[in-house]
Each structure stands twice: as structure tokens, then as C-alpha cells.
Amino acid sequence: MLCFAVAEFRPLSATAETPLCFNGIFGDNMILQRDKPVRIWGYGGREGETVTVSFSGQTKTARIDADGWEVYLDPLPADGEGQTLTAESEGERLEIENVAVGEVLFCSGQSNVAITVQYVINKYPEAVEEYRTYDNYADIRLYTPVWGGKEEETIYTAPHSAWKQPSRIQDILYCSAFASGLALNVQAKIGGNVPVGVIETSTGGSCIEEWLSADTLSALATHNASQSIYYNGMVSFLKGMTLNGVFWYQGEACIDYTEQYEEELAALIRQYRTDFANEDLPVYVMQLPQVNAMRAYGRAEAEEGWVKMRDVQQRISERFENVLTVCLADTGDASDDFDCIHPADKWRVGERAANAFIATALGTGDFSEGENPGISPKVISAELLDGEILLTTSSPVSSSDSVQGFSVKTSDGKVHSLVFSSEGRTLKANFIGRAGSLNYLQTAAFSFSLLADDFGLPLMPVREMPVSDNRSMLEVTFWDGDVVIGSQHVKYGDCVQRTEPSKEGAVFNGWYADSVLSDSFDFSSPVTADVAIYAKFTELNSGEDSSGEENSGCASVTSVISGIVAAAILFWASFYKRQD
């Protein structure tokens, strides 16, 4: 058993005076990752000497150098029975007891990770029964590093903090409600002799920059007075640990700069995969739930920031393999006047995260037949047809009420609310016009029933999805009596473009919808079928121009005056000639 005090040091110096030690994550009651080569590492001892590590019938050796020592155990099967992990060098022997083998997960973020089971129960007393659902406390282990930020990356020697192995609900009351719910649900759904360990690092109100390393930030145009402090103090010492999934639950503190946040989140995912030495490491991004943004932030613009953050959290899964956004659109408590930004439904959130992990990372679980319950359905296509918008979803969805929350933005910038009907994977809504983009659930909270699949997973929000224009092309024919004088091709729902025809000897008097010229044609009305339009002309009388005005009188007067003037000129010219 390790029993010496917590220590930290920076930089490391392996000398004869430095005692042999494990890294700070190693301690009694811990869990090692199953079915993968497992890194065991530490520091101290005499440089150049050998360290021998033994566990579960395996013995591995390594040479101590200036950076410490490490060995890799061969993949181990799950085993809930605790065993002893030892490290020996030059007469020094370290023992870590009750070490099990199972699933090891990492979760991080801000206060919605940090709030405890006790906090949840205080807000929602019925949560006690949720956390008693499986009574499998002894099959989980929880680890939270000593809280605190550091100015530089810090190495901790074991034991830095204690791995907690609970036996009843009272033992997790002051543990993270999210991490506890995640661990209990993963273990119950995997079943068998597979213990689950969760490492939880969180700080209320923290920004993403505080969880990024200095090296990661140096590649980004990011400036923050407290950047990297929680990475340095609570994450960096874990670099190289073997685990099987990361859960990131954050974003509330960063809603004012979502465009920058998207690149920082992408950098965080790459950082996790580098730090935990797994380029395919599954990462789960917990999407923001419902909230009364005005009450939570005290400013109107927070509503748009919250919605944009959800969209960023959703788009990130489209940029990376093995990154999944866990939709929480149906969770939260926007009606909570006291603390709506910290909803009490953390058991439900942990359960959903667990399902997502089991379904995607493990591909197993105790689920009923049908669509995979770990993945929320989403709209995969939107198209505009003749008189309707048709949406296709990744799995069948339905609602207990009318399907609300949808809108389309037309080419002129106007927004139109739509009510859809659902049938399997198809959603339909009546619409005539030009639909440029589709939106769904673009507010921070909702007062209507959400679309969900057969397992209750909500349809993911949609922000500005382009709508494919697949409308029929209609023909418009322009007539003058029984003679065709022109034509246009117009898409279903568009309007006919007005033209001004001309005709020799006649005046154009407008377009009509009927051949008897009694009903004027409305050019502002959408076209929904092939259409014929009829021109009305008025024939000109003799002496009328194309405007229909008489001009013969004016011409006659001019001619008379011109004749008189010409005659007078001739008379006087001849008179003066005779005088000469």
C-alpha cells in the first residue's frame, strides 16, 4: 500500500536521492483499462538502474532515465477482483492494492460536471431513487485530482488523490453527479465482471482556454489571462494514461465567442488524442441543454450565443471520426428561477452519455432491438418539392404533439414557421416559395414537445441547413388571341416575370388570366401549374399613334401655317423683283 504524502515537482530529476514513485494517478482501488496495452509509469530511483513492474502474472522491466520510467502491460481481460500492482528497484518496493481491470473514462468541463449528487438531490429529491437504480456502487471507482490551477505543467507523485470505491449511495454524495451517473450506467449496461472507473476534472465557470496546454494555445490566436492553468494543474500529469473515452461537458462560459470556440474545441480533441496516445480515442461532446438564457446571464444576446454554441458542439462531430455529440435538447430546467443553468437531471445526462459510449466505442450493451439508442437522430437532408418541404432523418422520429420548432428562411430573408407531420424517417410540411435554409430548435428553451426516436432520444437541432430545390419546372405561355407571342419557364411556387409586349397599330392594355380578358392576371401570385396568360390590345384608329392619342389635327394646322408662310414669302419676293 502506498502511504507517503502527496508531492509535486518540476522539473524531474532522477537521482539517488529521489525515491522510487508511481505517477500520481496510481493508487489503491484504481482501475486499469482492459483489452489494451496499459502504460504503467513513474519517477525516481537511480538513473540507469532497472525497475521491475508486476501485475496479474505479468512482469515487465524498464531502465530508469532522467525522465523517469515506464512499462507496458500486455492487454488484460476485465477483472473486478482487486490485485496488487508492484514496482521494485534497488531494494525499494511500491505496492498499490485492490487494482481492478475494466473500463477507464475521463470527463472534464465546468460546473455542470462539478456539481455533486448531493446538490442534485437537494434540488430534486426524487434523484435519490435514480442513483439507486442499479445498486452497483462497488463495481465503479471514481477519481478526482486535487483541485487547483498551476502556472506550469506539474508532475504529481502517487498518491496525488484517492480513488474512491463506493459501496452505497452515501459514498458518492459529494462526487460529481455526472461522473457518478456515467459510471453507474456504463457498468450496469456492460454487465458482468467489468468495473468502470471515471477520472473527473472540472472547475465551475472555467473557459476552454484554461483546459488547453500552452503548446496547443500557441498554435491558436487565443489570449486569456488564466489560460492553461487547469490543464497544467489537473490534466497534464495524466499524459500517456491508457483509457477508452473522453467526455467534454462545457461551453456555458464561452457563448460570446463561438467561432473561436469551434477551433479551440477541435484543438482540444486533438490534444486529448495526443496526450492519451490514441489517435482514434472516442470523444463525446455534451451539447448544452435548455436554459432561460436571459435569467441565467441577464442579457438578451445570451440567447443567440447559447444557440450558436449548441451548433458548434454539433458540427464538431462532422469534422472528426469517433467524435460524437450527445444531444441534450430535451434536458435542463429553464423554469428554475433559482439556478436554471445547473439542471438537476444529471442521472439522465449520465445515462445518455453511457449509452453513446457503449453503442459507439464498445458496440455492445443490454439494449432492445431497433435503432441504436446511443445516437440521437438527425436531419440528413432537406428538399423543396412541389408545394411541400420534405425532410429525411437518420432514424424514425415522432412527437406526442404537433411537430413545432421548424422554420425556413426564404431567398428574400423572410423567416416562415412550419408545422411538420412525421411518418417514419420522413417529415413533411406544406410550403410554397423559395426555401433557402432550414432551422430547428433555434431558441435556448422550448415550450412544445420535441421530436424523438423510439427510445426517446431527441432529434438534434438544425441551424441553416441548405434546402435542395427540386421543384418542377412549369411553362408559362403568353397569348394574343389564338397566337402565341412568348413563353417563360418558372419553378413551382415562383412568380411569373412581367413583360410589356408591343404590337403594330395597337396599344397594350394588360395581361389577363382568361381568354375573354375579364380577369386580370396577378403577377405576385405563385404559380403551381402550367399557365396561359392573355394580352389585351386596343387597335389604333386612323391618325392615332401607339399611345392611342389622336394626332391628325395638329398635323393639319401645321401644314396650313407652313403653306401660308411659304406663299407670303413668294409674293413679296416677286413684288420686290418687279420694283427693280
Side-chain angles (χ1 to χ4, degrees):
M1 175 183 294
L2 289 172
C3 56
F4 47 85
V6 176
E8 64 178 74
F9 51 99
R10 165 181 85 241
L12 175 70
S13 176
T15 69
E17 290 74 31
T18 304
L20 189 71
C21 56
F22 283 102
N23 176 276
I25 190 60
F26 291 89
D28 295 344
N29 307 316
M30 76 175 300
I31 294 182
L32 302 179
Q33 177 61 45
R34 65 171 175 165
D35 301 333
K36 295 178 182 292
V38 176
R39 182 179 184 237
I40 309 294
W41 78 104
Y43 318 100
R46 184 184 295 276
E47 187 172 347
E49 295 299 324
T50 298
V51 61
T52 301
V53 175
S54 300
F55 181 75
S56 189
Q58 296 188 36
T59 299
K60 304 291 182 179
T61 60
R63 191 168 298 279
I64 300 171
D65 61 25
D67 295 323
W69 52 267
E70 68 175 11
V71 301
Y72 281 86
L73 299 176
D74 298 332
L76 295 158
D79 187 353
E81 295 298 322
Q83 301 180 65
T84 301
L85 172 67
T86 65
E88 297 179 85
S89 180
E90 289 196 306
E92 290 186 271
R93 178 180 173 87
L94 306 176
E95 293 185 352
I96 297 179
E97 298 179 349
N98 194 30
V99 177
V101 180
E103 289 296 326
V104 181
L105 307 175
F106 175 89
C107 64
S108 186
Q110 53 185 103
S111 52
N112 272 306
V113 175
I115 61 174
T116 65
V117 174
Q118 183 65 67
Y119 178 90
V120 167
I121 292 173
N122 290 345
K123 288 186 70 174
Y124 176 55
E126 293 84 350
V128 171
E129 297 309 315
E130 293 178 338
Y131 283 87
R132 285 174 172 163
T133 299
Y134 299 117
D135 193 24
N136 57 340
Y137 309 107
D139 295 320
I140 70 168
R141 319 283 174 93
L142 302 173
Y143 180 92
T144 301
V146 175
W147 181 87
K150 299 290 183 180
E151 294 300 320
E152 299 179 35
E153 292 187 23
T154 304
I155 295 172
Y156 300 104
T157 59
H160 174 56
S161 183
W163 282 84
K164 179 184 289 291
Q165 183 182 16
S167 60
R168 55 181 184 162
I169 190 171
Q170 286 82 357
D171 297 332
I172 64 170
L173 289 179
Y174 296 100
C175 296
S176 161
F178 171 65
S180 299
L182 173 65
L184 291 167
N185 275 280
V186 169
Q187 200 288 319
K189 290 171 170 42
I190 294 176
N193 190 31
V194 185
V196 174
V198 176
I199 301 166
E200 176 259 318
T201 64
S202 60
T203 299
S206 58
C207 299
I208 189 172
E209 298 87 357
E210 295 166 318
W211 298 99
L212 293 170
S213 71
D215 288 343
T216 299
L217 287 171
S218 67
L220 300 169
T222 298
H223 303 282
N224 185 305
S226 59
Q227 60 191 18
S228 300
I229 60 171
Y230 297 124
Y231 174 82
N232 292 340
M234 302 169 70
V235 180
S236 64
F237 80 101
L238 299 172
K239 286 193 290 187
M241 185 170 188
T242 308
L243 46 78
N244 206 23
V246 169
F247 296 81
W248 175 247
Y249 191 175
Q250 194 270 343
E252 301 93 332
C254 305
I255 63 171
D256 292 329
Y257 53 97
T258 53
E259 291 184 7
Q260 173 182 315
Y261 186 93
E262 181 170 0
E263 295 311 310
E264 292 175 334
L265 181 54
L268 179 69
I269 291 169
R270 289 189 286 266
Q271 175 181 287
Y272 281 141
R273 290 177 167 177
T274 298
D275 281 357
F276 297 126
N278 183 351
E279 62 183 13
D280 297 317
L281 180 67
V283 178
Y284 302 86
V285 178
M286 311 303 293
Q287 195 173 40
L288 293 185
Q290 295 188 45
V291 74
N292 184 322
M294 185 63 187
R295 183 180 296 134
Y297 292 89
R299 48 193 174 88
E301 60 269 25
E303 175 91 8
E304 181 68 6
W306 192 272
V307 171
K308 286 183 175 180
M309 179 59 74
R310 278 200 197 118
D311 186 53
V312 167
Q313 293 169 330
Q314 187 165 327
R315 288 203 309 267
I316 200 70
S317 63
E318 300 169 2
R319 295 178 56 175
F320 291 88
E321 294 290 333
N322 291 333
V323 173
L324 182 71
T325 303
V326 181
C327 181
L328 303 178
D330 60 334
T331 70
D333 188 2
S335 64
D336 184 348
D337 291 330
F338 173 68
D339 189 16
C340 65
I341 204 167
H342 297 126
D345 50 2
K346 289 296 182 287
W347 174 264
R348 189 179 183 191
V349 173
E351 179 182 39
R352 188 163 296 171
N355 288 348
F357 168 73
I358 295 168
T360 55
L362 303 183
T364 60
D366 183 17
F367 300 122
S368 57
E369 294 181 0
E371 296 294 331
N372 194 324
I375 304 174
S376 280
K378 61 182 179 179
V379 177
I380 57 176
S381 68
E383 56 181 332
L384 177 60
L385 302 176
D386 293 352
E388 65 181 8
I389 291 181
L390 179 68
L391 309 181
T392 303
T393 58
S394 57
S395 59
V397 294
S398 61
S399 173
S400 60
D401 204 345
S402 59
V403 181
Q404 302 180 56
F406 283 96
S407 66
V408 293
K409 182 184 291 186
T410 53
S411 56
D412 58 4
K414 295 181 179 179
V415 177
H416 303 264
S417 296
L418 297 177
V419 177
F420 279 81
S421 62
S422 61
E423 183 177 349
R425 295 177 57 213
T426 301
L427 299 171
K428 293 182 180 180
N430 296 329
F431 183 80
I432 295 177
R434 296 183 180 182
S437 60
L438 175 78
N439 291 287
Y440 177 57
L441 301 185
Q442 293 303 294
T443 54
F446 324 109
S447 59
F448 47 82
S449 298
L450 305 188
L451 279 165
D453 66 11
D454 293 341
F455 297 91
L457 290 167
L459 182 68
M460 299 192 81
V462 177
R463 186 173 178 87
E464 298 182 359
M465 172 181 280
V467 179
S468 301
D469 192 344
N470 295 325
R471 293 172 294 165
S472 300
M473 191 68 73
L474 303 176
E475 184 163 7
V476 180
T477 307
F478 299 94
W479 294 82
D480 175 15
D482 57 358
V483 177
V484 175
I485 59 173
S487 65
Q488 284 183 22
H489 287 96
V490 178
K491 283 196 170 185
Y492 186 105
D494 285 352
C495 298
V496 179
Q497 294 183 357
R498 183 189 295 272
T499 62
E500 296 290 330
S502 61
K503 181 178 180 180
E504 186 176 355
V507 177
F508 175 66
N509 293 129
W511 292 106
Y512 288 79
D514 58 329
S515 60
V516 297
L517 308 181
S518 62
D519 184 14
S520 295
F521 185 81
D522 183 2
F523 282 88
S524 65
S525 180
V527 174
T528 58
D530 292 340
V531 64
I533 308 177
Y534 299 87
K536 181 178 180 180
F537 288 99
T538 302
E539 298 294 329
L540 294 174
N541 296 323
S542 176
E544 290 185 328
D545 62 16
S546 60
S547 68
E549 297 180 353
E550 293 188 2
N551 56 22
S552 56
C554 294
S556 298
V557 171
T558 302
S559 298
V560 170
I561 292 173
S562 299
I564 293 172
V565 172
I569 291 172
L570 290 173
F571 170 78
W572 288 108
S574 62
F575 173 78
Y576 285 116
K577 184 176 182 180
R578 287 196 299 269
Q579 293 299 317
D580 292 339

